[in-house]
Amino acid sequence: MKKALVMIQSGQFSVDQQTELETVIRTAYREHVSPETLTVIWSAVGTGKFFTNYAPSQTSIVSAECDNGFPQAQRVAYLKALASSWSSITGQHLDSLMLALVDTDQFKVIADSTLRRLSLLGRVRFAVHVAKNLLLAKLRRQPLSFSPDL
Amino acid sequence: MPVYTLANRGASNAASNQKIADAIADIHCDTTGAPPEFVNVLFMDNHPLKGGATLSVTGNVRSGGNRNQELTNTLRENLRNGIAHAAGLPNSKVTIELIGFPASWGMEGGEILPEPGEEAEWLNRS
């Protein structure tokens, strides 16, 4: 099962928008990358904690994993399709949207970077924090989402 | 791109975060020649860090182009010094990990990112 990680500002989008965005992420992925199930995990960053170009950021970041050695033409097609669909839903300028489709080995290095810097206790706390929030999201039938703060 | 994520052992505040984010943008741009429009910095609080670190920085940066090992080492050292200074911490309390990946895997502004060193042409595209 492949994963997509989405980083947004807290309160930037409604739950309905997130649900719609999740649909377009999966659709673009299925059409251009793989029929494999894609798990989408959202992380909402609080006010005063995200900066771009020296100023508070309005940027959203969507990174997904693909097979190693994935063809570049298909990668570009996926990224362009997602950029177009995302901006039509959110009205966001494309300059405020960062997308990446990352080979799975490198995706794991990036995704695990948070765990690598934590103490053993920190890793346990992080795992519980993520599991609790993901469980709550499932129970509420909402997008899987958690705060990056512990 | 780059995206710098900073895990803080305690709680951060917006003013301090702005100061550190400014330092990172200055250092990244001065060292690599990348434009500040590319530089993203985000903060995460209350992370129990290993090794007694107070602030742990992970930088996801473009690799290839004009970025050789020497430049990467210089960037890492400049970031450690600059972030520690901005945060009022000893250098030993700040850890840095830089993770490189090909520019061609990412998109901003609806276009595939330029190779490091080719940003000016990319920014001036019509």
Side-chain angles (χ1 to χ4, degrees):
Chain A
M1 183 187 296
K2 296 288 198 297
K3 289 186 282 297
L5 304 176
V6 186
M7 186 76 73
I8 59 171
Q9 326 292 320
S10 184
Q12 188 174 17
F13 304 123
S14 68
V15 171
D16 285 347
Q17 274 182 310
Q18 278 183 261
T19 303
E20 200 175 352
L21 290 167
E22 200 163 301
T23 299
V24 301
I25 292 170
R26 288 206 174 91
T27 300
Y29 194 87
R30 191 171 54 248
E31 289 179 355
H32 299 285
V33 182
S34 167
E36 210 173 332
T37 302
L38 183 71
T39 299
V40 181
I41 301 171
W42 297 75
S43 187
V45 184
T47 305
K49 292 183 175 175
F50 195 173
F51 301 86
T52 301
N53 191 13
Y54 298 102
S57 182
Q58 290 302 312
T59 296
S60 304
I61 303 173
V62 185
S63 55
E65 67 177 314
C66 61
D67 288 340
N68 291 329
F70 192 73
Q72 179 64 9
Q74 282 175 252
R75 191 187 311 264
V76 173
Y78 160 79
L79 294 171
K80 281 190 177 291
L82 180 54
S84 173
S85 302
W86 183 288
S87 64
S88 70
I89 292 169
T90 63
Q92 227 171 343
H93 193 281
L94 288 176
D95 286 348
S96 297
L97 180 59
M98 182 187 301
L99 305 175
L101 184 63
V102 180
D103 283 14
T104 195
D105 284 352
Q106 190 68 1
F107 187 89
K108 186 167 170 47
V109 170
I110 294 168
D112 288 349
S113 63
T114 295
L115 289 177
R116 273 198 302 281
R117 55 189 170 187
L118 293 178
S119 65
L120 184 58
L121 171 66
R123 290 179 192 201
V124 172
R125 272 182 57 185
F126 186 81
V128 170
H129 172 74
V130 172
K132 187 178 80 177
N133 283 281
L134 297 188
L135 180 62
L136 282 173
K138 279 212 165 193
L139 289 172
R140 292 171 181 157
R141 296 180 181 280
Q142 291 180 353
L144 305 180
S145 181
F146 69 97
S147 161
D149 298 331
L150 295 184
Chain B
M1 197 61 62
V3 179
Y4 287 98
T5 62
L6 283 77
N8 200 320
R9 180 175 286 276
S12 65
N13 66 74
S16 169
N17 290 349
Q18 177 76 64
K19 191 175 173 187
I20 295 168
D22 290 352
I24 290 173
D26 284 344
I27 293 161
H28 184 89
C29 297
D30 289 348
T31 308
T32 67
E37 294 94 319
F38 280 14
V39 182
N40 299 277
V41 182
L42 66 94
F43 295 84
M44 308 185 295
D45 288 352
N46 303 318
H47 282 231
L49 301 171
K50 67 181 179 187
T54 301
L55 203 52
S56 177
V57 183
T58 299
N60 293 296
V61 300
R62 290 171 296 145
S63 58
N66 62 3
R67 296 196 183 164
N68 55 25
Q69 191 59 50
E70 185 182 359
L71 189 144
T72 303
N73 291 341
T74 302
L75 177 60
R76 186 184 297 108
E77 203 49 40
N78 290 350
L79 284 167
R80 185 195 308 279
N81 294 336
I83 291 169
H85 180 72
L89 293 169
N91 286 13
S92 60
K93 294 292 183 184
V94 178
T95 66
I96 309 271
E97 180 183 21
L98 297 179
I99 302 171
F101 77 86
S104 61
W105 291 0
M107 175 175 281
E108 279 187 55
E111 299 290 341
I112 291 295
L113 289 166
E115 291 296 313
E118 297 176 3
E119 293 88 355
E121 190 180 330
W122 188 89
L123 285 170
N124 290 329
R125 72 196 186 282
S126 54

